[in-house]
PDB file of all heavy atoms in Angstrom:
ATOM      1  N   LEU Z   5      -8.244 -47.429  72.446  1.00 96.00           N
ATOM      2  CA  LEU Z   5      -7.715 -47.071  71.081  1.00 96.00           C
ATOM      3  C   LEU Z   5      -8.815 -46.452  70.244  1.00 96.00           C
ATOM      4  O   LEU Z   5      -8.720 -45.373  69.640  1.00 96.00           O
ATOM      5  CB  LEU Z   5      -7.055 -48.230  70.467  1.00 96.00           C
ATOM      6  CG  LEU Z   5      -6.443 -48.017  69.120  1.00 96.00           C
ATOM      7  CD1 LEU Z   5      -5.288 -46.987  69.134  1.00 96.00           C
ATOM      8  CD2 LEU Z   5      -5.894 -49.351  68.562  1.00 96.00           C
ATOM      9  N   ILE Z   9      -8.986 -42.866  68.317  1.00 97.00           N
ATOM     10  CA  ILE Z   9      -8.676 -42.670  66.892  1.00 97.00           C
ATOM     11  C   ILE Z   9      -9.936 -42.989  65.951  1.00 97.00           C
ATOM     12  O   ILE Z   9      -9.809 -42.807  64.804  1.00 97.00           O
ATOM     13  CB  ILE Z   9      -7.504 -43.421  66.381  1.00 97.00           C
ATOM     14  CG1 ILE Z   9      -7.767 -45.026  66.469  1.00 97.00           C
ATOM     15  CG2 ILE Z   9      -6.200 -43.110  67.153  1.00 97.00           C
ATOM     16  CD1 ILE Z   9      -6.740 -45.805  65.693  1.00 97.00           C
ATOM     17  N   SER Z  16      -5.772 -59.184  62.398  1.00 90.00           N
ATOM     18  CA  SER Z  16      -5.195 -60.373  62.982  1.00 90.00           C
ATOM     19  C   SER Z  16      -5.207 -60.378  64.501  1.00 90.00           C
ATOM     20  O   SER Z  16      -5.014 -59.242  65.050  1.00 90.00           O
ATOM     21  CB  SER Z  16      -3.706 -60.506  62.491  1.00 90.00           C
ATOM     22  OG  SER Z  16      -3.136 -61.572  62.986  1.00 90.00           O
ATOM     23  N   CYS Z  18      -5.118 -63.847  67.477  1.00 84.00           N
ATOM     24  CA  CYS Z  18      -4.291 -64.938  67.899  1.00 84.00           C
ATOM     25  C   CYS Z  18      -4.081 -66.049  66.825  1.00 84.00           C
ATOM     26  O   CYS Z  18      -3.215 -66.866  67.124  1.00 84.00           O
ATOM     27  CB  CYS Z  18      -4.712 -65.503  69.210  1.00 84.00           C
ATOM     28  SG  CYS Z  18      -6.443 -66.023  69.131  1.00 84.00           S
ATOM     29  N   SER Z  26       5.473 -64.662  69.557  1.00 80.00           N
ATOM     30  CA  SER Z  26       4.618 -63.545  69.356  1.00 80.00           C
ATOM     31  C   SER Z  26       3.570 -63.257  70.421  1.00 80.00           C
ATOM     32  O   SER Z  26       2.963 -64.226  70.932  1.00 80.00           O
ATOM     33  CB  SER Z  26       3.943 -63.560  68.019  1.00 80.00           C
ATOM     34  OG  SER Z  26       2.935 -62.548  67.902  1.00 80.00           O
ATOM     35  N   ALA Z  33      -2.169 -59.446  71.491  1.00 91.00           N
ATOM     36  CA  ALA Z  33      -1.750 -58.465  70.339  1.00 91.00           C
ATOM     37  C   ALA Z  33      -2.904 -58.505  69.287  1.00 91.00           C
ATOM     38  O   ALA Z  33      -3.621 -59.506  69.093  1.00 91.00           O
ATOM     39  CB  ALA Z  33      -0.481 -58.884  69.735  1.00 91.00           C
ATOM     40  N   SER Z  42      -4.950 -41.292  59.740  1.00 96.00           N
ATOM     41  CA  SER Z  42      -3.758 -41.806  59.018  1.00 96.00           C
ATOM     42  C   SER Z  42      -3.052 -42.795  59.859  1.00 96.00           C
ATOM     43  O   SER Z  42      -3.153 -42.842  61.127  1.00 96.00           O
ATOM     44  CB  SER Z  42      -2.838 -40.589  58.755  1.00 96.00           C
ATOM     45  OG  SER Z  42      -2.251 -40.125  59.857  1.00 96.00           O
ATOM     46  N   VAL Z  47      -0.453 -44.603  64.931  1.00 95.00           N
ATOM     47  CA  VAL Z  47       0.639 -45.156  65.556  1.00 95.00           C
ATOM     48  C   VAL Z  47       1.011 -44.228  66.758  1.00 95.00           C
ATOM     49  O   VAL Z  47       1.229 -44.710  67.919  1.00 95.00           O
ATOM     50  CB  VAL Z  47       1.860 -45.213  64.554  1.00 95.00           C
ATOM     51  CG1 VAL Z  47       3.207 -45.418  65.425  1.00 95.00           C
ATOM     52  CG2 VAL Z  47       1.691 -46.413  63.674  1.00 95.00           C
ATOM     53  N   SER Z  55      -1.570 -48.592  78.261  1.00 90.00           N
ATOM     54  CA  SER Z  55      -1.746 -50.092  78.293  1.00 90.00           C
ATOM     55  C   SER Z  55      -0.990 -50.862  77.126  1.00 90.00           C
ATOM     56  O   SER Z  55      -0.859 -52.047  77.163  1.00 90.00           O
ATOM     57  CB  SER Z  55      -3.184 -50.376  78.152  1.00 90.00           C
ATOM     58  OG  SER Z  55      -3.782 -49.797  76.912  1.00 90.00           O
ATOM     59  N   THR Z  56      -0.318 -50.083  76.212  1.00 92.00           N
ATOM     60  CA  THR Z  56       0.388 -50.697  75.089  1.00 92.00           C
ATOM     61  C   THR Z  56       1.854 -51.026  75.530  1.00 92.00           C
ATOM     62  O   THR Z  56       2.490 -50.218  76.153  1.00 92.00           O
ATOM     63  CB  THR Z  56       0.372 -49.912  73.845  1.00 92.00           C
ATOM     64  OG1 THR Z  56       0.880 -48.623  74.035  1.00 92.00           O
ATOM     65  CG2 THR Z  56      -1.038 -49.853  73.244  1.00 92.00           C
ATOM     66  N   GLY Z  60       3.990 -51.422  66.262  1.00 89.00           N
ATOM     67  CA  GLY Z  60       4.739 -51.483  65.067  1.00 89.00           C
ATOM     68  C   GLY Z  60       3.905 -51.099  63.867  1.00 89.00           C
ATOM     69  O   GLY Z  60       2.628 -51.260  63.918  1.00 89.00           O
ATOM     70  N   GLY Z  65       0.303 -50.174  55.670  1.00 93.00           N
ATOM     71  CA  GLY Z  65      -0.649 -49.407  56.504  1.00 93.00           C
ATOM     72  C   GLY Z  65      -1.182 -50.181  57.735  1.00 93.00           C
ATOM     73  O   GLY Z  65      -1.906 -49.587  58.501  1.00 93.00           O
ATOM     74  N   GLY Z  72       2.184 -56.371  75.766  1.00 77.00           N
ATOM     75  CA  GLY Z  72       3.320 -57.030  76.377  1.00 77.00           C
ATOM     76  C   GLY Z  72       3.990 -56.151  77.440  1.00 77.00           C
ATOM     77  O   GLY Z  72       3.725 -55.053  77.578  1.00 77.00           O
ATOM     78  N   ASP Z  73       4.867 -56.844  78.197  1.00 75.00           N
ATOM     79  CA  ASP Z  73       5.529 -56.076  79.345  1.00 75.00           C
ATOM     80  C   ASP Z  73       6.707 -55.261  78.883  1.00 75.00           C
ATOM     81  O   ASP Z  73       7.412 -54.682  79.722  1.00 75.00           O
ATOM     82  CB  ASP Z  73       5.960 -57.092  80.423  1.00 75.00           C
ATOM     83  CG  ASP Z  73       6.775 -58.188  79.964  1.00 75.00           C
ATOM     84  OD1 ASP Z  73       7.029 -58.287  78.658  1.00 75.00           O
ATOM     85  OD2 ASP Z  73       7.286 -58.988  80.821  1.00 75.00           O
ATOM     86  N   GLU Z  75       8.219 -52.113  76.151  1.00 68.00           N
ATOM     87  CA  GLU Z  75       7.864 -51.108  75.219  1.00 68.00           C
ATOM     88  C   GLU Z  75       8.781 -51.359  73.979  1.00 68.00           C
ATOM     89  O   GLU Z  75      10.040 -51.234  74.181  1.00 68.00           O
ATOM     90  CB  GLU Z  75       7.999 -49.675  75.693  1.00 68.00           C
ATOM     91  CG  GLU Z  75       6.970 -49.295  76.652  1.00 68.00           C
ATOM     92  CD  GLU Z  75       7.174 -47.835  77.143  1.00 68.00           C
ATOM     93  OE1 GLU Z  75       7.767 -47.102  76.404  1.00 68.00           O
ATOM     94  OE2 GLU Z  75       6.697 -47.560  78.133  1.00 68.00           O
ATOM     95  N   HIS Z  81       8.993 -55.156  58.068  1.00 59.00           N
ATOM     96  CA  HIS Z  81       9.168 -56.503  58.395  1.00 59.00           C
ATOM     97  C   HIS Z  81      10.516 -56.866  58.919  1.00 59.00           C
ATOM     98  O   HIS Z  81      11.471 -56.132  58.689  1.00 59.00           O
ATOM     99  CB  HIS Z  81       8.758 -57.448  57.269  1.00 59.00           C
ATOM    100  CG  HIS Z  81       7.330 -57.313  56.857  1.00 59.00           C
ATOM    101  ND1 HIS Z  81       6.286 -58.007  57.508  1.00 59.00           N
ATOM    102  CD2 HIS Z  81       6.710 -56.491  55.962  1.00 59.00           C
ATOM    103  CE1 HIS Z  81       5.166 -57.689  56.937  1.00 59.00           C
ATOM    104  NE2 HIS Z  81       5.363 -56.782  56.024  1.00 59.00           N
ATOM    105  N   ARG Z  83      12.576 -58.902  57.726  1.00 43.00           N
ATOM    106  CA  ARG Z  83      13.535 -59.087  56.643  1.00 43.00           C
ATOM    107  C   ARG Z  83      13.651 -57.839  55.787  1.00 43.00           C
ATOM    108  O   ARG Z  83      14.385 -57.816  54.766  1.00 43.00           O
ATOM    109  CB  ARG Z  83      13.139 -60.227  55.772  1.00 43.00           C
ATOM    110  CG  ARG Z  83      13.171 -61.546  56.535  1.00 43.00           C
ATOM    111  CD  ARG Z  83      12.813 -62.736  55.666  1.00 43.00           C
ATOM    112  NE  ARG Z  83      12.572 -63.904  56.529  1.00 43.00           N
ATOM    113  CZ  ARG Z  83      11.542 -64.627  56.408  1.00 43.00           C
ATOM    114  NH1 ARG Z  83      10.696 -64.467  55.474  1.00 43.00           N
ATOM    115  NH2 ARG Z  83      11.372 -65.634  57.276  1.00 43.00           N
ATOM    116  N   TYR Z  90      13.113 -49.732  68.598  1.00 46.00           N
ATOM    117  CA  TYR Z  90      13.437 -49.026  69.766  1.00 46.00           C
ATOM    118  C   TYR Z  90      12.887 -49.803  70.892  1.00 46.00           C
ATOM    119  O   TYR Z  90      11.690 -50.134  70.956  1.00 46.00           O
ATOM    120  CB  TYR Z  90      12.848 -47.687  69.774  1.00 46.00           C
ATOM    121  CG  TYR Z  90      13.209 -46.756  68.540  1.00 46.00           C
ATOM    122  CD1 TYR Z  90      12.356 -46.769  67.464  1.00 46.00           C
ATOM    123  CD2 TYR Z  90      14.351 -46.169  68.465  1.00 46.00           C
ATOM    124  CE1 TYR Z  90      12.582 -46.053  66.386  1.00 46.00           C
ATOM    125  CE2 TYR Z  90      14.713 -45.423  67.338  1.00 46.00           C
ATOM    126  CZ  TYR Z  90      13.780 -45.353  66.307  1.00 46.00           C
ATOM    127  OH  TYR Z  90      14.187 -44.584  65.194  1.00 46.00           O
TER     128      TYR Z  90
END
Side-chain angles (χ1 to χ4, degrees):
L5 179 62
I9 67 167
S16 182
C18 55
S26 169
S42 69
V47 166
S55 57
T56 55
D73 55 354
E75 287 184 23
H81 292 279
R83 295 182 195 136
Y90 306 95

